[in-house]
Each structure stands twice: as C-alpha cells, then as structure tokens.
Amino acid sequence: MKMHFCIPVSQQQPDTLGGRYVVRLGPSVGWVGRGSVTLWSPSPIPPSPPSSPSIDNRDGCLCFQLYSVYLDGFLFCKVRYSQLHRWDEQLRRVFGNCLPPFPPKYYLAMTTTMVEERRGQLECYLQNVTADPRVTRSDVFTEFLTLVQLQTLNITTKNVVLAVFLPDGRSINVGSLTSDTAERVLEVVAHKLGLHPELVGYFGLFLIQCFPEGKLSVVKKLADFELPYTSLQSSEVENCKIGLRKWYLDPAMDSVLMDCRAAGDLLYMQAVQDVEIEWMKPTQAQREELKALQKQENQTKFLELSQKVQHYGNIQLDPCTCNHPEPGCGVLLSFGNNEISCHITLPDGQTQDIVFQMSRVRCWQVTSLGTLLDTDGPQRTLNQNLELRFQYSEDSHQQWFVIYSKQAFFLSSCLKKMVSEKMAKLTEESPEMQIEVPDQGRSKKHPGQPSQQKDYFNFLRKGKMKKSEGDYVWGTLTEEGL
C-alpha cells in the first residue's frame, strides 16, 4: 500500500551561496515568506547539467527548488529534482516501466504554476513508487534514501550505540552505524533476544514518547528504510525513544509466535505494559487474576487470560476530538481486531461507546487543514491540524466519521495494517483470489510482475476533499480517487 509521503513545502535555492530564498508552501497554506536561511548542502552525486531552473523575479537570481519531503508527518529528507530524477533512472534500470510516471524535465525557467505542479507530481510519485514492496526492498531504493536522510541533517556515517527499549522498560544497546536502517537494527535486536528470524516481521520499531507517570504515546512506526538514529535526532517530540512492539493488530496471530520463547516473552511484556497504561480494559475480577498470575510469573496463563480482556492487542491514541455525534466531541480511540473503538465524551459531559467494524469501512483519507509551517528554521514536524475521515456504511446509510488528531498518519498506518491482515487471511482461505498483500516476513523477492496491491486511503489537502463511490473494503471496493 502507499506510504504517507508528502511535500508540503519547497525552497527556492539560489545558484550561488548567500542569496535570498523563497519558501513555497503547499496549496493548503498559500503563504510566501523570505529571509535568511542556512542553505542545505547539495548531494555529492556527480553534477549533471542544470535542469528546471526558476527565476526569483525580485532580483533575477537563478534558483533551484529544494523539496522538503515528509513521511508520516515528520521531515524525512530534503532533495532536489535532479537527485530524484537520477534515482528514478536507476530504479527503471531494475524495474522497467512498471514504475509510476516521473515528472518531466524542463530546460527553461519554470513559472510559479509549473513549480507547484511539479511539487504535486513529485509527491504523487513518492506515494506510488513505495506502494510496490519489490521496490522498497531493493538496494537502489534504500541506498538513495539512506544517503539523503543523512545529508539532510548533515550526519556522517559513524559508529553509535542505539538504545532500543522493550515494553518492560529495559533497553537493548545496539552497536550500529548512523546509516543503519530500522530493518537492520530490528534484526540485530531480534538476534540479541533470540527471536527466530522468521518471526522478526511480526515486530517493529516505533518512536515512542514516554511520560513520567508511566504513560506512553506512539508517535509513529518506523518504516524499514528509515534510519532510527536520524529519526531520533530530527524528532522534536520530548522524551522520545526507540521502542520495540509487536506490529500486528489481529490477536489470532499470537498463536504463530508462542512456540518461540523470545517471542512469547515479548508478548507477555507488552500485555503487562498494556494493562498498566490502561490500553487494555480488564474487569475487576480479571485485573485481580492477572495480578496473581504476574506474581506467579505464569506467562502462559497470563496471556491466555489477556486474550479474553477487552481491547487486548489494541493500540490506543492520545485523546483527540471528533465530529460524531456532534462537532467538538472528545474521543479516546482504540483500534485492533478489525475494530475501531471510540469512547466519546459529549460537550455536556455525557459519554458514549461506539464500535466501528472495519468490514464496513469503505475508505479513508488524511487531510491537512493548512496551519502555517515554521519557516524560520528547519521544520521537522508538520505542526498543523490533521484530520482522518473514514466512510462508514451501515443499514444502507453512509457517513463520514471525522477524527482530528496529530496522530492521524499513525492511525492511517494502523488501518492499513488491519486491511492487509484481513486480506492475507482471505487469501489463505481462498487462494484462488490471487490477492497480493504485504508479507510478515522480510524475504527479498526478485523483480517480476507489477504489484497488485490495492489502496483504500489518500492524503489530501484542504480544498481537495473527495468522496468515492463503490462497494465495501471487503467486497469490490472502488479505488477511484484513492
């Protein structure tokens, strides 16, 4: 499925150092500023003839666009068109014409309209090229993105010690390079824990914000090609750590892991933590029995009982707001086991509990509401209001349920995860369906036929809201506009 890449801002960088700059924001922002800035050093890739210049009409200075690329709402890298163009050429040597179209090169100065059109085209390209897992597993893909992540923060490749925290609060110190990807770091941690290699794909590395009272907030799931060291360095979230958690939302998958002692230990640690931070909702009787089993260190019985507890294996978001049953309602979201559970607080203080079944979610989209970015320095997080809206169908009635949350991108990632797990289960039950889904393992596949994966979400900006027509996600859901 597509990844949450967006390019909400680009900078006009002069051909010579020390000139002026122009910050161009996406259409949802519509604001132009100027001032001084520490210019980003271009890539050491051998230079190519200048392409796609634009003119700053105020002083006639020849400029190049520097695009700020965000992934899941956080600054991922800053790149020039020429770098992306050479990367696309390298990818096409491996994968041929199954890749999405790349924006054309211009040899004359671009107008403001052309600049904005290219920005949108590059954003679309990044979203579509990452939809094919064969591409994202390739060396040419990861090597380029590793390079630009390091260069954006001016970080050299060197040895570092990275602390990866387990759900029980202990940390595993990993000797790694600043250029090591999340996939590589996860493999090292798994080896240290004794986790079977085939089970590594059931876990993931997360950016987690920790609070003094023991609560935590999942900021984002690190993609395999992200660099944990640079992600920590660039994060503007206080008390942020790299944490290891399971990365599946169907509790039935626990059975695959229970034969591995290390995997069982991790499941137990996370279940204990989820009870402590109140992500799981045991009854009083269940809570007392769980405490007794924890004292006895009976992990097997503890997990067996945990699986019967409400919201076991779910992920909970920070408190946010929604539009149902009326605008301005507070909501506490918990999702997993093919459900989106909402504990809603009305403006008058009354509460309601609503559960949405993923089988009735037709599609969803993340939308930027267009708050200004901080242009006085390196803006590493999209400090703007985000909303996630999903279309829900019940009794022939269709409704958009809107959630306003800074974790909208992470919520979308979790919804995609539930869809992929459901489709994988349907494929196992009916192999003739021939549905390609992201596998839990991390085995490399040789380039072959184009991927047949489908997407049920979109990232939009204010003023570009779409409503799609079609059937349900589990039926023949239309992909028009998604």
Side-chain angles (χ1 to χ4, degrees), residues 132-355:
D132 190 340
R134 301 172 307 118
V135 174
T136 58
R137 294 187 186 114
S138 67
D139 290 339
V140 66
F141 179 89
T142 55
E143 287 173 1
F144 172 77
L145 294 185
T146 295
L147 178 66
V148 294
Q149 287 178 82
L150 291 172
Q151 290 178 339
T152 297
L153 294 179
N154 197 26
I155 294 175
T156 59
T157 300
K158 59 183 179 181
N159 291 310
V160 293
V161 176
L162 193 66
V164 177
F165 286 82
L166 304 179
D168 65 355
R170 293 182 296 126
S171 64
I172 302 275
N173 290 328
V174 179
S176 64
L177 297 173
T178 54
S179 57
D180 281 340
T181 62
E183 180 178 19
R184 171 60 180 163
V185 173
L186 179 59
E187 289 172 348
V188 174
V189 172
H191 178 74
K192 283 178 172 284
L193 293 173
L195 187 64
H196 196 283
E198 292 184 359
L199 303 180
V200 175
Y202 289 89
F203 296 87
L205 296 182
F206 297 78
L207 277 181
I208 296 177
Q209 184 180 19
C210 300
F211 299 97
E213 61 274 18
K215 301 292 185 180
L216 63 84
S217 172
V218 178
V219 178
K220 65 171 295 185
K221 159 76 168 59
L222 293 179
D224 286 349
F225 53 81
E226 285 189 86
L227 309 184
Y229 181 82
T230 62
S231 297
L232 274 180
Q233 295 298 311
S234 64
S235 175
E236 295 178 333
V237 180
E238 294 183 356
N239 301 318
C240 200
K241 300 177 180 179
I242 302 291
L244 175 68
R245 292 180 64 85
K246 66 181 182 183
W247 182 227
Y248 58 88
L249 293 165
D250 182 357
M253 291 185 177
D254 282 1
S255 60
V256 180
L257 308 178
M258 293 308 297
D259 289 338
C260 174
R261 180 170 182 175
D265 289 344
L266 289 172
L267 294 182
Y268 173 73
M269 292 180 209
Q270 185 167 323
V272 171
Q273 183 187 52
D274 288 353
V275 172
E276 292 175 347
I277 62 178
E278 299 179 349
W279 283 16
M280 287 167 55
K281 312 296 181 184
T283 63
Q284 185 59 37
Q286 287 174 330
R287 187 181 299 275
E288 292 175 359
E289 189 173 353
L290 287 171
K291 285 182 179 179
L293 292 172
Q294 187 178 351
K295 279 187 177 182
Q296 299 168 14
E297 298 184 354
N298 191 332
Q299 295 188 15
T300 302
K301 292 292 185 181
F302 187 96
L303 286 172
E304 289 177 356
L305 177 58
S306 295
Q307 291 171 350
K308 302 175 183 178
V309 174
Q310 184 183 21
H311 296 174
Y312 169 74
N314 282 19
I315 295 178
Q316 183 172 293
L317 292 190
D318 298 342
C320 51
T321 58
C322 66
N323 72 334
H324 183 84
E326 58 182 283
C329 293
V331 62
L332 193 62
L333 288 168
S334 178
F335 38 90
N337 199 20
N338 292 318
E339 294 180 347
I340 306 172
S341 300
C342 306
H343 181 70
I344 298 173
T345 302
L346 303 175
D348 62 5
Q350 297 185 49
T351 61
Q352 291 184 6
D353 289 304
I354 302 177
V355 176

Side-chain angles (χ1 to χ4, degrees), residues 406-417:
K406 63 181 181 180
Q407 295 171 288
F409 285 113
F410 178 58
L411 172 56
S412 178
S413 296
C414 293
L415 297 183
K416 288 193 296 179
K417 192 66 175 174

Side-chain angles (χ1 to χ4, degrees), residues 443-478:
S443 59
K444 307 291 182 181
K445 293 185 179 179
H446 190 275
Q449 296 300 317
S451 171
Q452 299 299 316
Q453 290 185 41
K454 299 189 177 185
D455 291 285
Y456 307 108
F457 83 98
N458 194 16
F459 172 70
L460 302 174
R461 290 186 174 82
K462 188 177 180 181
K464 294 190 175 183
M465 308 292 287
K466 297 181 180 180
K467 292 188 178 181
S468 60
E469 300 295 335
D471 299 321
Y472 302 146
V473 166
W474 312 130
T476 56
L477 183 147
T478 179

